[in-house]
Amino acid sequence: MIQGGENTSATYIGLCGKLSADLTVYLGQILKNLQKRVLIADLTESHGLYYLFSVSEKFPVTYRNIDYIGKDFDIYEQKNNKYDYVLVCIENSARHILGNCLSKIYYISDTQYINFFSMINEIKNSKMATGIIIRDVTDGAIHAEYLMKHVFMDDYLLNMYYTNRVYQIHDDLTDREYRINMQYGDFGSFRNLSAEFLKVLEQITAELTGYDKKQIKYSLKYAKEGKTIEKHNILEQRFRKKRNKQ
């Protein structure tokens, strides 16, 4: 099913972990509002994102100007080269299938021992991690620094932590509600995500695109409201006015 990734114009980004689905959708909406063409490939065991739609056997499913495909499609097909970004949702066990075709990969976990342990093993085996996103962190003693320093003691992971490549999102009722709603097909606005979650989305988008953070903030603002910024419309007008004033 998945073959070769060579000679493609798209940038392939892996989001690895069971808590990746909602984060992938949010990122896709922001990138779309930055005038990027986005394909989301759901290669998780449940294929929950893809099969929430009315699935076509031949074509990607399009929702809010983002295309979605599942395991029955080759994410490296020639026709997929029209995209700027392909966001690949994968389970930890599928990492090896993708070989070195991913430009960046973010590992996602919560602080439950079995999930964190599985993520750590994947990272140590691959030695390819752009960043680690730890979700549902509580205010107690179990946080990223504690886990990496005193439980999963590994120099590679500690270096990631000290170079600010570990992102933490504290447990938040609204964030969890959005995540659950998405499992039932609600891909609406995500206007009430926690400030911490929004900051992580902004940071990752900046890493992926190199765009100015102010521009990303406006893209995120409209994505939160479920709006699409059409090309040469809101963002360009706003930043043109700013340049003219200067």
Side-chain angles (χ1 to χ4, degrees), residues 163-177:
T163 54
N164 300 314
R165 289 188 289 154
V166 177
Y167 309 98
Q168 295 190 79
I169 302 173
H170 278 75
D171 187 28
D172 182 271
L173 180 60
T174 302
D175 296 350
R176 276 187 285 154
E177 186 175 354

Side-chain angles (χ1 to χ4, degrees), residues 16 95 105-109 119 122-123 126 128-129 131-133:
C16 185
R95 168 67 184 89
I105 182 166
Y106 293 88
Y107 287 87
I108 304 165
S109 179
M119 178 189 72
E122 288 291 326
I123 294 174
S126 69
M128 178 188 174
I132 300 173
I133 302 167

Side-chain angles (χ1 to χ4, degrees), residues 98-140:
L98 297 166
N100 295 318
C101 297
L102 298 173
S103 298
K104 297 179 184 293
I105 182 166
Y106 293 88
Y107 287 87
I108 304 165
S109 179
D110 55 19
T111 54
Q112 294 185 71
Y113 181 87
I114 187 62
N115 294 336
F116 207 91
F117 179 75
S118 176
M119 178 189 72
I120 295 303
N121 282 340
E122 288 291 326
I123 294 174
K124 289 169 70 173
N125 289 334
S126 69
K127 293 294 184 183
M128 178 188 174
T130 307
I132 300 173
I133 302 167
I134 304 175
R135 300 183 59 169
D136 299 341
V137 177
T138 65
D139 291 329

